[in-house]
Amino acid sequence: MKRIAVIPGDGIGPEVIREAVRLLERLRETHDVDLKLTSFDWGADKFLREGVTLPSGALEMLANEFDAILAGAFGDPRVPSNKVAEDVLLGMRRGLDLYINLRPVRLIDSRLSPLRNRTVAEIDFVVFLRKERPKRLLRKRN
């Protein structure tokens, strides 16, 4: 069984993650994929309500108890300091040695692009953003 931590985030994050979870649940039903999804409410709403971004021990728990993390977008104008995005998103990246950011880019409809006279076939690529690996790593689960 693969254990996935689900962190919807802020803004459009919950909407996007909700659909991704629906897809994973459908795969579980139709292709017998053995998944356990566990949701966490770490985002701006929790921060504004409780003053908590990442609970104590959260990174260790993610590293030791989960095989993957499905995270949405972070950042909310109600938190002008951007503390939630800094603590949760960047905290996970640094603390869990997540140093690559994969961004698929595909044009769905040529009317939606600011690039004039480009077709759907012309815009289909993947961007890999890599930063230098941090020196400090959490103990990884075997």
Side-chain angles (χ1 to χ4, degrees), residues 4-115:
I4 301 174
V6 179
I7 308 170
D10 306 314
I12 195 171
E15 181 180 341
V16 172
I17 295 301
R18 183 174 37 254
E19 296 307 311
V21 166
R22 283 183 60 207
L23 173 69
L24 292 173
E25 289 171 346
R26 183 75 174 144
L27 285 173
R28 190 169 37 197
E29 295 168 9
T30 60
H31 290 78
D32 200 29
V33 177
D34 197 9
L35 299 174
K36 180 179 181 198
L37 305 174
T38 304
S39 293
F40 297 95
D41 65 346
W42 305 334
D45 287 336
K46 182 177 186 75
F47 176 72
L48 292 169
R49 190 174 57 249
E50 301 173 22
V52 174
T53 54
L54 272 180
S56 177
L59 294 179
E60 292 81 2
M61 179 203 52
L62 291 171
N64 294 318
E65 298 178 20
F66 291 92
D67 300 298
I69 301 169
L70 177 60
F74 287 89
D76 187 310
R78 297 175 299 164
V79 184
S81 67
N82 218 15
K83 180 169 179 48
V84 176
E86 174 74 25
D87 287 1
V88 179
L89 184 61
L90 297 179
M92 286 191 305
R93 286 181 183 170
R94 292 177 186 133
L96 298 174
D97 192 28
L98 305 174
Y99 60 94
I100 187 168
N101 194 345
L102 173 70
R103 298 291 176 145
V105 179
R106 191 178 78 182
L107 181 59
I108 297 170
D109 186 320
S110 59
R111 295 174 297 171
L112 302 175
S113 174
L115 303 174

